């Protein structure tokens, strides 16, 4: 099937989707129209529930909307059933777009309809003792809620969805097809309508009447993990203009619509952020081993790959839906298990609640939003209103899915994979001199991870860091930057949530646009944050290039020659650069949080590399004055730029096959024999590094670097496929997917190194061990 035929076939699948959603929308309108007839009949009696005028106002234009979409559905259904590549549907969409004036009339009447429903509820409340009238009162209460949750924005959402479908249809409709001009016209009309109405709809959509003259508005919502009696619980948290509500999404049974169960709420007037005294322990956070988190990532990668394969094979939607359900389950599990940063809220009645989030950026954002709203909020909430509010959360929510970058319908942009070089140039806009530094975060599998930190620039209002960092991206879509004031006198500040006492001065973020970053040149940008401006430059190297070894151009220096040549020249079994870096790190970097994971300053790394290349005798002095993360970065760069990886091109495929063996005895025999097959300089260098990494992991409680973390950092550095063995295409015609980059190569490399790190002893010839211990020549 050629590209044109594939596009025409996609038209059918897009239209099948709109048919299914039209059925659902029509059923919603039918349900709303159902009580109209008995209400109209009652209006002619001596005791009407609603007058004819009230019925007309409340149900204004709903019958017309139903007729418009019924006609559209009845016209589209047979054409899809009798599908051919020449089939036309553009006239149906053009006619639908031409009737958007009905939607305009509906929205313009909304305020009057709401007021009328409100008055009807109040007027009928006096008949609450009478069972028949009470049932009508409850119906009207439901109607009031239904108007807000369904009637107001479901029709506008319908236009939005139709507009998106028009985009998809146009994308897969050849310019020569008769439908193309009709679809273009329908799209133009729809876009004009949406742009004119969005400003009016947005505030209404997020509002809920509290009492006359006031509105409860949704400000922010998000999935969050609550710590309940030591167990992690997935919650959906809603911040309204007057309260903070924590809800649990109920399980859907028998095709019923989603519902929320309110777990607790705190009026903003009663909410504070719990202060943690120095002597008070932060609640024990149950940590999940990194190995388990990576196993979840692998499953997510594999399921997503299966979904794409099924789509390419045009398999049935049932298979894809089952896979999407599995994907959602794994994403939920990863979201539940990954965050470890405490965010605590306190109710003045004495009850405190603890959430776990992954980013200081998010924690600061929640605090800012709550504190800002506390300055101007008042509170009143009855039990009935609480139930209505909880029910309305399903419609109010702005975050509909587990917030992972990979959980998107027809996701064609799964994020960036590779390396992002970031230069933090300078910042302006600070009002008084401070000790300032920045941290960088990127999202990985849906949650944010701290990746780099600048040095502290002391006593200034205009810091000039000019520091470069190399950050690994795994499906990343956003780069965040946080600017802190360093506090050296820890006794002057009270800690919240057991966090660092350093104060956030500003925060901002940029979207990592794959199209803009395809150009391999530096892209300059400015991030504004609370009056502060930070200047950055970014450059991206994609995974398909970063997976290939990039040896140094300087073939005579330490970084440009093989291990065996280096060690022969130095009359030592372990290269001088490796010994020097390891010794310096063990002297003062073993308790550095994130050692080997946190990026060093790129300019420092390059300076140190140049010093080693020319065998500079002052290199020891340079290292003693340099940030320890730059020394760790130099060691990683040395192994990455070797012309041949430490585990050699020849043996790499064997290591990859050996680690996949299921029998533990056979695996151990295979892996040890392969290890001892390495050239002697490679072997003793690896054993020297292995011992060092194990000593680093012994300080895991302080430096947060487990054996698995270290294997994740060094695995892809020590084991790389040669170009002929790599599963990555030499000249890829399309972006490398997550499964290609993560599962096919990287995880195998991580597992090989982790296997050796976890072995208590590695039986090697004594002579090779002793050469490590007693060789001191430079």
């Amino acid at each position: 099937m050629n590209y044109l035929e594939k596009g025409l076939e996609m038209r059918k699948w897009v239209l099948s989707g709109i048919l299914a959603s039209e059925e659902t929308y029509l059923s919603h309108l039918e349900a709303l129209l159902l009580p109209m007839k008995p209400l109209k009949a009652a209006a002619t009696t001596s005791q009407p529930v609603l007058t004819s005028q009230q019925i007309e106002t409340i149900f204004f234009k709903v019958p017309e909307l139903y007729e418009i979409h019924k006609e559209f559905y009845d016209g589209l259904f047979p054409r899809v059933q009798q599908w051919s590549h020449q089939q036309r549907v553009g006239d149906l969409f053009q006619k639908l777009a031409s009737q958007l004036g009905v939607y305009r009339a509906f929205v313009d009447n909304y305020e009057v309809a709401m007021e009328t429903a409100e008055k009807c509820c109040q007027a009928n409340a006096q008949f609450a003792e009478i069972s028949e009238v009470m049932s009508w009162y409850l119906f009207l209460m439901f109607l009031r809620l239904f108007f807000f949750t369904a009637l107001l924005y479901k029709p506008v959402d319908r236009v939005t969805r139709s507009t998106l479908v028009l985009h998809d249809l146009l994308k897969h409709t050849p310019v020569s097809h008769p439908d193309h001009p009709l679809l273009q016209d329908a799209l133009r009309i729809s876009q004009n309508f949406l742009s004119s109405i969005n400003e009016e709809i947005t505030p209404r959509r997020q509002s809920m009447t509290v009492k006359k003259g006031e509105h409860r508005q949704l400000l922010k919502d998000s999935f969050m993990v609550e710590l309940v009696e030591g167990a992690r619980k997935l919650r959906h948290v809603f911040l309204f203009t007057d309260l903070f509500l924590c809800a649990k999404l109920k399980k859907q049974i028998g095709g019923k619509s989603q519902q929320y169960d309110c777990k607790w709420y705190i009026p903003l007037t009663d909410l504070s952020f719990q202060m943690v005294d120095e002597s008070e322990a932060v609640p024990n956070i149950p940590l999940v081993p990194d190995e388990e988190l990576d196993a979840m990532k692998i499953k997510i990668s594999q399921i997503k790959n299966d979904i794409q394969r099924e789509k390419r094979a045009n398999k049935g939607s049932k298979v894809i839906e089952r896979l999407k359900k599995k994907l959602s389950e794994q994403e939920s599990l990863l979201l539940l298990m990954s965050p470890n940063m405490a965010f605590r809220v306190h109710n003045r009645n004495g009850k405190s609640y603890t959430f776990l989030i992954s980013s200081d950026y998010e924690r600061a954002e929640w605090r800012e939003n709550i504190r800002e709203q506390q300055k101007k909020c008042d509170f009143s909430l009855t039990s009935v209103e609480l139930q209505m509010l909880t029910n309305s959360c399903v419609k109010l929510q702005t975050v509909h899915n587990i917030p992972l970058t990979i959980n998107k319908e027809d996701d064609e942009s799964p994020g960036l994979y590779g390396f992002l070089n970031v230069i933090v140039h300078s910042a302006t806009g600070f009002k008084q001199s401070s000790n300032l530094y920045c941290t960088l975060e990127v999202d990985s599998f849906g949650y944010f991870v701290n990746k780099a930190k600048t040095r502290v620039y002391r006593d200034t209002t205009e810091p000039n860091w000019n520091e470069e960092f190399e950050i690994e991206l795994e499906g990343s879509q956003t780069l965040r930057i946080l600017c802190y004031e360093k506090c050296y006198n820890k006794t002057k500040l009270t800690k919240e949530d057991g966090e660092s006492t350093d104060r956030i001065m500003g925060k901002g973020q940029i979207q990592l646009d794959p199209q803009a970053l395809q150009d391999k040149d530096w892209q300059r940008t400015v991030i504004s944050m609370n009056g502060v401006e930070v200047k950055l430059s970014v450059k991206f190297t994609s995974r398909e290039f970063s997976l290939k070894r990039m040896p140094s151009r300087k073939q005579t220096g330490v970084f440009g020659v093989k291990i065996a040549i280096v060690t022969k020249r130095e009359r030592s079994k372990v290269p001088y650069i490796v010994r020097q870096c390891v010794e310096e790190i063990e002297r003062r970097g073993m308790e550095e949080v994130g050692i080997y994971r946190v990026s060093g300053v790129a300019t420092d790394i390059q300076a140190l590399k140049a010093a080693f290349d020319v065998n500079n005798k002052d290199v020891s002095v340079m290292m003693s004055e340099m940030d320890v993360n730059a020394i760790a970065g130099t060691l990683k760069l040395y192994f990455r730029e070797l012309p041949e990886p430490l585990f050699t091109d020849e043996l790499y495929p064997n290591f990859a096959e050996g680690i996949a063996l299921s029998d533990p005895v056979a695996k151990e025999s295979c892996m040890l024999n392969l290890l001892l097959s390495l050239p002697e300089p490679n072997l003793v260098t690896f054993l020297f590094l292995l011992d060092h990494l194990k000593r680093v992991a012994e300080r895991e409680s302080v430096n947060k670097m487990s054996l698995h973390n270290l294997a994740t950092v060094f695995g892809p550095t020590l084991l790389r496929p040669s170009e002929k063995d790599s599963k990555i295409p030499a000249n890829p015609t399309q972006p490398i997917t997550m499964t290609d980059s993560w599962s096919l190569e990287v995880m195998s490399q991580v597992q090989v190194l982790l296997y050796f790190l976890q072995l208590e002893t590695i039986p090697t010839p004594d002579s090779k061990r002793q050469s490590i211990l007693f060789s001191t020549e430079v």
Side-chain angles (χ1 to χ4, degrees):
M1 184 182 295
N2 60 35
Y3 176 80
L4 184 62
E5 290 175 337
K6 194 174 293 185
L8 290 167
E9 187 65 22
M10 280 298 298
R11 276 166 48 89
K12 180 182 178 181
W13 293 112
V14 171
L15 291 167
S16 298
I18 197 66
L19 272 177
S21 63
E22 280 290 311
E23 286 182 13
T24 303
Y25 181 53
L26 285 170
S27 68
H28 287 157
L29 294 178
E30 285 174 350
L32 185 58
L33 289 171
L34 193 62
M36 271 191 67
K37 189 173 182 180
L39 280 172
K40 284 184 175 180
T44 61
T45 66
S46 58
Q47 289 186 319
V49 179
L50 298 177
T51 66
S52 298
Q53 183 59 47
Q54 288 170 334
I55 295 169
E56 175 64 25
T57 301
I58 292 173
F59 293 93
F60 183 69
K61 293 298 179 183
V62 177
E64 288 87 344
L65 289 174
Y66 177 81
E67 290 302 324
I68 288 170
H69 282 273
K70 184 72 166 59
E71 181 183 1
F72 174 73
Y73 178 84
D74 289 344
L76 185 60
F77 182 81
R79 299 194 194 185
V80 175
Q81 290 293 99
Q82 302 165 10
W83 187 254
S84 71
H85 292 339
Q86 289 75 39
Q87 185 65 273
R88 301 184 184 187
V89 294
D91 58 308
L92 298 177
F93 282 92
Q94 190 181 43
K95 184 175 181 180
L96 185 65
S98 69
Q99 296 171 309
L100 288 176
V102 179
Y103 283 94
R104 164 60 70 184
F106 169 80
V107 173
D108 289 344
N109 180 70
Y110 169 75
E111 293 292 347
V112 179
M114 278 291 295
E115 289 176 9
T116 304
E118 182 81 20
K119 289 175 182 176
C120 291
C121 289
Q122 294 171 355
N124 281 284
Q126 59 185 305
F127 302 111
E129 313 85 50
I130 306 172
S131 60
E132 292 175 314
V133 179
M134 182 60 181
S135 65
W136 281 112
Y137 169 72
L138 291 175
F139 163 71
L140 288 170
M141 290 291 287
F142 167 76
L143 184 62
R144 170 186 168 191
L145 175 63
F146 193 84
F147 252 91
F148 167 65
T149 58
L151 283 186
L152 174 61
Y153 62 84
K154 271 188 179 296
V156 179
D157 278 357
R158 173 56 37 190
V159 181
T160 303
R161 182 172 178 83
S162 296
T163 304
L164 293 174
V165 169
L166 285 169
H167 272 293
D168 290 339
L169 280 176
L170 271 171
K171 185 168 68 175
H172 300 295
T173 301
V175 177
S176 59
H177 196 286
D179 264 354
H180 198 274
L182 300 177
L183 293 174
Q184 274 190 322
D185 188 49
L187 179 60
R188 178 186 57 79
I189 296 171
S190 300
Q191 286 176 329
N192 289 341
F193 172 80
L194 284 177
S195 62
S196 68
I197 208 169
N198 272 342
E199 291 184 2
E200 302 171 25
I201 287 299
T202 300
R204 295 178 191 168
R205 177 173 182 166
Q206 294 183 324
S207 300
M208 182 172 186
T209 300
V210 180
K211 53 189 178 182
K212 190 171 181 64
E214 297 180 13
H215 284 82
R216 174 172 290 120
Q217 184 177 357
L218 176 65
L219 301 176
K220 181 179 176 67
D221 69 299
S222 177
F223 287 96
M224 211 177 282
V225 177
E226 186 183 9
L227 196 58
V228 183
E229 297 179 350
R232 294 168 178 259
K233 303 289 184 181
L234 189 60
R235 304 292 194 225
H236 200 148
V237 180
F238 297 85
L239 174 61
F240 291 93
T241 42
D242 62 341
L243 66 94
F244 184 77
L245 185 145
C246 177
K248 173 188 175 183
L249 190 61
K250 294 180 181 178
K251 288 185 177 180
Q252 289 181 263
I253 303 174
K256 290 185 178 179
S257 60
Q258 286 186 330
Q259 287 185 316
Y260 278 104
D261 177 24
C262 176
K263 303 305 293 183
W264 52 265
Y265 71 91
I266 305 176
L268 294 190
T269 52
D270 295 341
L271 186 149
S272 65
F273 300 106
Q274 187 161 3
M275 301 301 174
V276 182
D277 217 342
E278 290 287 347
S279 59
E280 182 184 351
V282 179
N284 289 328
I285 298 174
L287 300 179
V288 180
D290 294 306
E291 299 92 306
E292 292 185 22
L293 295 178
D294 275 342
M296 295 175 204
K297 293 178 183 179
I298 293 171
K299 286 183 181 178
I300 289 171
S301 302
Q302 291 170 340
I303 295 170
K304 192 165 198 290
N305 192 52
D306 290 343
I307 290 173
Q308 295 303 321
R309 186 177 63 246
E310 294 296 331
K311 285 182 177 179
R312 288 193 295 268
N314 289 324
K315 294 291 181 68
S317 59
K318 289 185 178 179
V319 176
I320 294 175
E321 286 306 314
R322 281 198 299 269
L323 288 170
K324 285 185 176 180
K325 184 178 179 181
K326 286 183 180 180
L327 179 63
S328 179
E329 290 170 355
Q330 287 298 319
E331 290 173 348
S332 300
L333 188 60
L334 183 61
L335 174 67
L336 186 66
M337 297 303 178
S338 57
N340 294 313
M341 184 180 291
F343 169 54
R344 302 211 285 181
V345 293
H346 179 69
N347 193 327
R348 71 179 179 185
N349 67 17
K351 181 71 173 174
S352 296
Y353 305 92
T354 301
F355 292 101
L356 300 178
I357 55 182
S358 64
S359 163
D360 209 6
Y361 188 103
E362 293 173 41
R363 180 163 62 179
E365 198 169 62
W366 277 100
R367 286 196 188 128
E368 287 171 10
N369 290 338
I370 290 172
R371 283 172 175 152
E372 182 63 30
Q373 193 58 29
Q374 283 177 324
K375 298 174 185 176
K376 51 190 176 185
C377 73
D378 193 11
F379 180 75
S380 172
L381 188 69
T382 66
S383 58
V384 173
E385 287 175 328
L386 175 62
Q387 184 59 52
M388 291 177 64
L389 181 63
T390 305
N391 291 340
S392 72
C393 285
V394 173
K395 306 299 180 182
L396 287 170
Q397 61 181 326
T398 61
V399 180
H400 295 274
N401 299 312
I402 300 301
L404 301 187
T405 58
I406 50 179
N407 189 12
K408 293 184 177 181
E409 284 292 320
D410 301 319
D411 188 1
E412 296 176 358
S413 301
L416 294 172
Y417 291 84
F419 289 92
L420 185 73
N421 287 78
V422 181
I423 301 176
V424 184
H425 294 292
S426 60
T428 56
F430 295 102
K431 293 183 171 57
Q432 60 185 34
S433 292
S434 304
N435 303 314
L436 301 167
Y437 70 93
C438 290
T439 64
L440 300 173
E441 297 180 350
V442 295
D443 56 311
S444 172
F445 282 82
Y447 59 94
F448 280 83
V449 181
N450 184 15
K451 286 287 191 177
K453 175 182 173 182
T454 68
R455 67 183 184 277
V456 179
Y457 214 98
R458 293 193 174 223
D459 299 320
T460 183
T461 57
E462 295 187 355
N464 285 283
W465 294 288
N466 287 317
E467 296 183 52
E468 182 184 342
F469 303 94
E470 185 179 73
I471 297 172
E472 186 171 6
L473 304 182
E474 295 169 350
S476 306
Q477 296 180 340
T478 305
L479 170 68
R480 287 177 171 176
I481 183 167
L482 297 97
C483 194
Y484 293 84
E485 177 188 9
K486 183 74 175 176
C487 179
Y488 291 102
N489 189 346
K490 302 295 184 183
T491 61
K492 287 188 176 180
L493 290 177
T494 306
K495 296 199 289 185
E496 293 179 354
D497 303 332
E499 65 176 315
S500 165
T501 56
D502 296 343
R503 184 161 66 102
I504 295 179
M505 303 295 288
K507 56 183 176 54
Q509 62 183 24
I510 57 172
Q511 297 303 309
L512 300 176
D513 181 6
Q515 294 299 324
L517 291 171
Q518 284 301 322
D519 185 355
K520 294 174 185 176
D521 293 333
W522 287 97
Q523 309 281 329
R524 291 184 68 93
T525 185
V526 176
I527 298 181
S528 299
M529 46 177 85
N530 301 332
V532 175
E533 289 190 344
V534 179
K535 295 179 180 178
L536 300 177
S537 292
V538 295
K539 182 174 69 171
F540 173 65
T541 304
S542 63
R543 174 71 81 183
E544 56 264 35
F545 291 103
S546 63
L547 276 175
K548 297 175 183 177
R549 299 194 66 78
M550 302 295 289
S552 171
R553 294 178 182 176
K554 186 177 177 64
Q555 295 301 311
T556 57
V558 174
F559 273 60
V561 296
K562 294 186 178 182
I563 285 280
I565 300 172
V566 172
T567 53
K568 180 179 179 182
R569 187 186 69 190
E570 296 180 349
R571 305 186 308 280
S572 167
K573 299 299 183 184
V574 178
Y576 175 60
I577 181 175
V578 177
R579 286 188 285 123
Q580 286 291 98
C581 289
V582 165
E583 287 170 10
E584 189 65 23
I585 289 168
E586 296 202 351
R587 185 175 71 83
R588 59 186 178 93
M590 298 294 275
E591 295 188 354
E592 180 77 13
V593 175
I595 186 68
Y596 288 118
R597 179 180 58 80
V598 175
S599 299
V601 179
T603 48
D604 288 348
I605 293 172
Q606 290 302 321
L608 200 53
K609 170 187 174 180
F612 276 113
D613 266 344
V614 298
N615 200 18
N616 192 325
K617 294 181 179 179
D618 295 328
V619 72
S620 297
V621 177
M622 287 180 61
M623 292 175 70
S624 65
E625 297 173 349
M626 200 169 278
D627 177 59
V628 72
N629 288 312
I631 298 168
T634 303
L635 182 61
K636 290 187 294 181
L637 182 65
Y638 168 71
F639 284 115
R640 192 161 70 239
E641 289 199 353
L642 285 171
E644 184 179 47
L646 198 64
F647 277 52
T648 73
D649 290 336
E650 181 184 356
L651 292 177
Y652 174 80
N654 304 83
F655 279 109
E657 291 173 8
I659 198 63
L661 294 174
S662 54
D663 179 60
V665 177
K667 179 186 288 188
E668 181 175 353
S669 174
C670 176
M671 296 297 283
L672 288 177
N673 276 306
L674 285 170
L675 186 66
L676 294 175
S677 300
L678 289 173
E680 185 175 354
N682 297 54
L683 176 60
V684 295
T685 300
F686 173 67
L687 295 176
F688 178 81
L689 179 65
L690 194 71
D691 286 343
H692 165 65
L693 295 179
K694 287 182 179 181
R695 288 192 292 273
V696 172
E698 288 173 1
R699 308 281 186 93
E700 179 189 353
S701 60
V702 180
N703 62 35
K704 311 301 181 188
M705 292 301 291
S706 64
L707 291 175
H708 189 275
N709 281 340
L710 292 164
T712 301
V713 170
F714 274 94
T717 299
L718 303 180
L719 295 101
R720 295 254 182 142
S722 63
E723 199 157 310
K724 64 183 179 64
D725 293 322
S726 176
K727 299 180 179 68
I728 305 297
N731 296 297
T733 56
Q734 57 187 20
I736 302 300
T737 66
M738 171 174 24
T739 303
D740 291 324
S741 62
W742 180 264
S743 298
L744 297 181
E745 304 285 10
V746 178
M747 284 310 300
S748 174
Q749 297 156 8
V750 171
Q751 292 302 317
V752 170
L753 180 55
L754 182 61
Y755 181 82
F756 290 121
L757 282 168
Q758 289 174 334
L759 284 180
E760 290 187 14
T761 58
I762 297 179
T764 61
D766 290 341
S767 61
K768 293 184 178 181
R769 271 285 190 199
Q770 289 171 2
S771 68
I772 300 172
L773 299 175
F774 298 109
S775 178
T776 58
E777 298 100 325
V778 176

